[in-house]
Amino acid sequence: MTNIHDYRQRADVVKLTADEQACQLLEELLEELESLHHANEKLRKALLASRNSSGMSSKLRDALYE
């Protein structure tokens, strides 16, 4: 899977031959990609944390399973 750093390197190569508007659009897209990547990491961590804590005490869980 390609990471953001790889995309940034590829974009730098494309920017050498692209016009001003294309470069600006490419930069905006890369910034949005980075933002979404960080949000995705936060959501994954939150999901993992919520899986680790059931939110139910062990006594209540045991009572429900009886």
Side-chain angles (χ1 to χ4, degrees):
M1 183 173 169
T2 306
N3 65 30
I4 294 174
H5 180 69
D6 293 338
Y7 284 126
R8 177 122 351 238
Q9 287 180 331
R10 290 170 58 193
D12 289 341
V13 172
V14 171
K15 286 180 184 179
L16 296 174
T17 58
D19 65 351
E20 180 82 25
Q21 287 181 331
C23 290
Q24 184 179 358
L25 175 62
L26 192 53
E27 191 60 36
E28 290 173 11
L29 290 172
L30 286 169
E31 288 173 6
E32 182 69 14
L33 178 65
E34 288 175 353
S35 173
L36 292 172
H37 178 74
H38 292 302
N40 189 18
E41 285 180 348
K42 287 180 183 179
L43 288 171
R44 286 176 185 258
K45 288 179 183 177
L47 180 61
L48 182 62
S50 72
R51 285 183 181 169
N52 290 340
S53 64
S54 66
M56 196 182 326
S57 72
S58 58
K59 288 183 181 180
L60 177 60
R61 186 174 44 246
D62 292 343
L64 288 172
Y65 287 131
E66 285 183 2

